[in-house]
Amino acid sequence: MEPRITGKVFVLGDNIDTDQIIPAEYLSYNPALPEERRQFGRLALSGVPLAQSGLPKGNCRFVQEGKFKTDYAVILGGKNFGCGSSREHAPLAIAEAGVKVVVAEFYARIFYRNSINGGYLVPLETPSRLVEQFSTGDEVEVDLAAPAITNRTTGKSFALSPLGQAGPIILAGGVFEYARKTGLLAR
Amino acid sequence: MAMTMTEKVLARHSGAKSVVAGDNVWVNVDVLMTHDICGPATIGIFEEEFGKNAKVFDPDKVVIVPDHYIFTADTKSHRNLEILRDFAKRHQIRYFYDADFVKGEGVPKPYLSAAQTAFKGVCHVALAENGHDRPGEVLIGTDSHTCTAGAFGEFATGVGNSDAAFVMGTGKLWLKVPATMRFDFVGPVPPYIMGKDLILHTIGLIGTDGATYRAMEFAGEALMSLNIDERMTLTNMAIEAGGKNGIIAPDALALAYVRGRTKKSFEPVFNDADASYFSRTTIDVSKLEPTVAQPHSPDKAATARSLKQVKIDRSYIGSCTGGKVTDFIAAACVLKGRTVKIDTYIVPATTSVDMALDAVKVEGQSLRQIFQAAGCKIGPASCAACLGGPADTFGRANAAINVISTTNRNFPGRMGSKEAGVFLASPLTVAATALTGHVTDPREYYSGAKAVGLVQ
């Protein structure tokens, strides 16, 4: 993982549940098959009601029609990001679309585990609410080491919460690598 | 060191004498459950990480329950069943409840009777009915509503595919011990109140993130006066408040239920008298009113009475939380001798609940007869439209309609179209609404002397 992620930010509100991240009708695609796994990038965040997609204005698609990758580098959300079902397809879809860092006030537990145990995303948390400080399309930089997020469009910088106990699993790249590193699994 | 039930189960399964909330522990898993939409990817990760010829940690502890996308013409869903069949065969999985009637193309013809199929239906109810939910154990499943099994005093939680693949290969999972939020339900249960009202009220109090990372323990004489179906309605929806697990101390009723379904021995655990809780909340059930969660969040609680002006296009009674025998008895009590005014879908959670529609009678008529006479559409056991699913799913909301449902989740798009509005309510309230076409307090149509879910 690059220590600094730069690019455009995609802003969402509170309680973005896994049905909004990847609607259930697409769960028959099997991520174990590369051609089907690709589809999740195309479909990422396609369940978000358009008015709430890409705040503050909304009506903004995360992935353009016909594309498999997003033009955005970072997702910024509010409270309880990833609530709802346990589908690992949710962080996987975001990662397939090309986003490796999500910043939110806090996460639903299973989404958080899936993000780090599957090695898809770095789920960073914000000590205060940032959703109103960013507009979709603003240029941002996320410094994973600090950790911090800077809005290059407005010039404002915000400290993010340390990764804490999950840090070693994120740095290892997921639960399997972590277990191998710590000797629980044979290499 | 005094512990809660949740702490005790995790201590015992991690080899520690005691644990406290916040500890990270590796636990030994008693049952790993997966189904048709997360199983194939879990198997993919398992084979990638452990090797194509690796063995599962224990073929008798991996339970595979196809239930989500069964009655659909979607070819990928059929293919996913084949992946499960191949895996179950290669690994000699003892408990594989195959939808064996799904063969070839098109929407499969359903089972004729529970006796003629290995298929069971919705995993969380099937696990309980078939003796896989046992007090004092650890049950991990690739479904967020795995927390349902906590109704039997065990630690049960949902995980993703990577965690499940890890368990499949090692039998272990790392978990952070959650602090317990305890909810005591007191007072007599009014006739018009059901388990669903208790949990919708509770989620309304604390919000969809009110129990994030925590255990929700349900207790109190009102709760314990309710039957197993009703208790499962509460533990099922712990996840809707963000809870890691829901748990209820097993009483004589719960122990007898489990002993009637498994020969395996188990060791129940109970709270220590001086266990410490994150919080304690007492809810007087006698003061509750029939409760509805409005779109698009399970915590947007309101009384059914206050939503009288809301027009509803469809009623739906089904799912792991709202498609059990007690749920259908409640609906039948309201619908008997009456005709529904809006489309009303009946989806039994499991094949055994489906058979109960014929066997169980309300005032001399079977549940099925009552529903048919009322004009309901009755489908076979499965998750069906609770989570939308493929476009041809029975009961799926394919347009911008208002649905009132006994299911557990109502975020945008949950039952299909993201323009649809889903209202969550008890089967009494959903059935009463089916008669009028607007949100209806069940007291207008149900005047029974006691709560439907009371232990007989």
Side-chain angles (χ1 to χ4, degrees), chain B residues 7-29:
Chain B
E7 289 164 346
K8 267 191 197 171
V9 176
L10 295 178
R12 187 194 289 166
H13 284 76
S14 63
K17 204 157 170 242
S18 71
V19 297
V20 293
D23 286 354
N24 281 301
V25 291
W26 285 95
V27 298
N28 293 310
V29 174

Side-chain angles (χ1 to χ4, degrees), chain B residues 147-180:
Chain B
C147 49
T148 312
F152 302 95
E154 68 178 318
F155 179 87
T157 195
V159 299
N161 306 332
S162 294
D163 275 343
F166 194 93
V167 176
M168 215 174 234
T170 65
K172 289 180 193 296
L173 184 70
W174 74 267
L175 288 170
K176 182 186 271 202
V177 179
T180 296

Side-chain angles (χ1 to χ4, degrees), chain B residues 341-353:
Chain B
K341 198 171 173 185
I342 54 177
D343 282 348
T344 299
Y345 289 80
I346 302 283
V347 186
T350 60
T351 52
S352 119
V353 175

